[in-house]
Amino acid sequence: MTDLAVIGAGTMGAWTALRAARAGRKTILIDAYGAGHPRATSGDETRIIRASHGADGYYTRWAREARDAWRAFGDESGDTFHLEVGVVWFAHREDGFEAASEQVLREQSVPVERLTVDDVRARWPQVSTDGIAFAIFEPQGGVLLARKSIAALARAFAHSGGRFELESVVPGRREGRRLVDVVSANGTRIAAESFVFACGPWLPRLFPELLGNLIRVTKQDVFFFGPPAADGRFAAEWLPAWVDYDASFYGIPAIEGRGVKVAPDHYGPVFDPSRGERLVDPDTARLARRYAERRFPALRDQPIVETRVCQYETTPDTNFVIDRHPELDNVWLVGGGSGHGFKHGPVIGRYVLDRLDGAAAADGDERFLISRPRTGNPGLRTGGDSIATGWDAY
């Protein structure tokens, strides 16, 4: 009998499965499309890793622990998954997300610099400071190589004695308050003592009665702008990752020969992760170009050289869902990444395994409960990653 079945091989599921296998549990990891596939929220090439989460110190602590775990996993694998290029936050006002983040970072002894507009111009002359009041810079933040790292996690899981299955499954037979198995599309039944469903955008589809109104899946368009010929200023050696929180954009410098990643952080339309066409919207491209030209004048008239379509799975307050199924004692539901889940994968995996082993919830963990009322906050959001509700700045 398998001890644990983890359904979903994204960052939350893969880290949970790897930690379980290394703890001695007989573990199976199941994914419908493979590890790091293009439909997954964890499937794009890059993600930002940073500790800033506004006034919420809980996620700041998790982000720092996760950073150490990502770097340790890279050392163990003989590879690099965390590029320490830094993260700069462009603040439009003195009392916003950035100021709250800076205070928490200093309280937790996380390296951070407060930069004036002149500092930004001197350090990164390719950046326009139009509309910026100041910036904060996390020198130890940067970029995670997302697709590459997920594939490496799956390999490490297999090398640790885990079993990976390429299957599309749904919850199967119940006995009282226990789930007995999951069932694949061809009728194969996979039984286990415990189950963790970490299915990203598919989670509310598997459990619509619990999560259908809690996790909203939206289409998110991403653009890569080609820098000018012979202009290396947009490579990771010369430009950090950045977040323009109030403008609702973020981006990543040109990495591995790709263009400058510019991502609108505004909620897109509701999206089907299985059957949705991965074609960007022309209006979103227009807005991304307008932002790129304003913040990086040298990108004016430069072509979009690549595009991606991913998705957010967002809860109303942007806190994750990490909770036991209310009717099934051996089932845990893990998801609601809300745009900031990828980097936390190592800590989420550890947290889930601790709860499976009987650890009690700690202060602050109530944020993850399915039953807790969740409402959005237009100010400094709890999860730290809710996004602007309009395109007023652009």
Side-chain angles (χ1 to χ4, degrees):
M1 168 69 74
T2 298
D3 296 326
L4 176 65
V6 180
I7 296 87
T11 186
M12 297 182 182
W15 272 107
T16 299
L18 177 60
R19 292 194 182 279
R22 290 183 171 179
R25 288 177 181 259
K26 187 177 180 181
T27 306
I28 182 171
L29 178 60
I30 305 168
D31 197 280
Y33 301 104
H37 60 84
R39 289 182 174 100
T41 303
S42 299
D44 193 12
E45 280 78 7
T46 52
R47 291 288 186 275
I48 292 178
I49 180 168
R50 40 64 178 196
S52 291
H53 284 82
D56 192 336
Y58 189 106
Y59 286 125
T60 296
R61 288 190 295 273
W62 269 31
R64 290 296 286 177
E65 294 173 21
R67 173 187 176 275
D68 292 342
W70 280 114
R71 293 178 70 82
F73 180 62
D75 291 342
E76 166 198 320
S77 305
D79 209 337
T80 300
F81 304 116
H82 173 216
L83 305 180
E84 195 175 278
V85 301
V87 179
V88 61
W89 295 76
F90 301 131
H92 292 238
R93 51 198 170 96
E94 293 292 336
D95 60 348
F97 182 91
E98 300 81 9
S101 296
E102 180 188 7
Q103 180 178 340
V104 173
L105 295 178
R106 294 192 186 281
E107 290 170 353
Q108 296 194 19
S109 300
V110 179
V112 61
E113 303 173 40
R114 185 182 180 96
L115 305 178
T116 67
V117 170
D118 287 341
D119 293 333
V120 174
R121 290 171 180 156
R123 193 172 297 191
W124 303 294
Q126 65 274 53
V127 174
S128 166
T129 57
D130 183 23
I132 295 175
F134 68 95
I136 64 169
F137 179 59
E138 296 184 50
Q140 293 184 351
V143 177
L144 291 171
L145 301 181
R147 184 172 296 175
K148 178 180 177 181
S149 64
I150 291 297
L153 284 167
R155 290 193 299 269
F157 168 72
H159 293 157
S160 299
R163 173 181 155 207
F164 188 96
E165 290 288 342
L166 186 67
E167 294 282 2
S168 176
V169 300
V170 297
R173 187 165 59 89
R174 300 185 181 192
E175 287 184 355
R177 293 187 57 85
R178 296 185 64 80
L179 182 67
V180 174
D181 55 26
V182 291
V183 185
S184 72
N186 64 11
T188 300
R189 292 185 173 272
I190 301 171
E193 289 292 330
S194 299
F195 298 84
V196 171
F197 288 85
C199 309
W202 292 274
L203 193 59
R205 291 176 171 230
L206 290 180
F207 300 94
E209 71 286 356
L210 286 176
L211 305 177
N213 293 323
L214 181 59
I215 298 175
R216 185 169 182 257
V217 179
T218 56
K219 175 177 178 280
Q220 304 300 139
D221 295 341
V222 177
F223 304 88
F224 294 79
F225 287 82
D231 188 344
R233 295 175 300 161
F234 294 94
E237 293 83 358
W238 303 105
L239 184 69
W242 73 90
V243 184
D244 208 333
Y245 186 80
D246 283 344
S248 197
F249 278 89
Y250 69 91
I252 289 174
I255 291 173
E256 295 182 341
R258 288 189 154 83
V260 183
K261 183 175 180 177
V262 176
D265 208 12
H266 184 274
Y267 292 132
V270 173
F271 189 63
D272 181 340
S274 296
R275 301 178 60 83
E277 296 279 6
R278 306 277 161 163
L279 302 174
V280 298
D281 185 88
D283 285 339
T284 313
R286 175 180 58 81
L287 292 164
R289 179 175 296 282
R290 187 183 300 176
Y291 172 81
E293 291 177 348
R294 178 181 177 186
R295 187 61 66 220
F296 305 101
L299 295 182
R300 185 179 302 277
D301 299 324
Q302 292 302 118
I304 295 172
V305 293
E306 293 186 60
T307 62
R308 297 286 184 277
V309 172
C310 60
Q311 58 271 316
Y312 286 160
E313 323 95 47
T314 312
T315 63
D317 62 0
T318 73
N319 282 301
F320 309 140
V321 171
I322 309 176
D323 198 4
R324 194 191 307 270
H325 192 293
E327 298 176 0
L328 297 169
D329 295 336
N330 65 334
V331 173
W332 281 78
L333 306 179
V334 182
S338 297
H340 70 123
F342 188 91
K343 63 183 175 296
H344 292 293
V347 182
I348 292 172
R350 185 203 65 205
Y351 179 87
V352 173
L353 190 59
D354 286 347
R355 298 304 304 274
L356 284 167
D357 287 339
D363 289 343
D365 293 354
E366 65 277 357
R367 68 182 63 207
F368 303 135
L369 296 178
I370 295 170
S371 60
R372 188 179 66 81
R374 297 175 182 240
T375 56
N377 184 340
L380 294 177
R381 277 73 72 175
T382 303
D385 287 76
S386 279
I387 49 185
T389 57
W391 292 100
D392 296 343
Y394 294 94

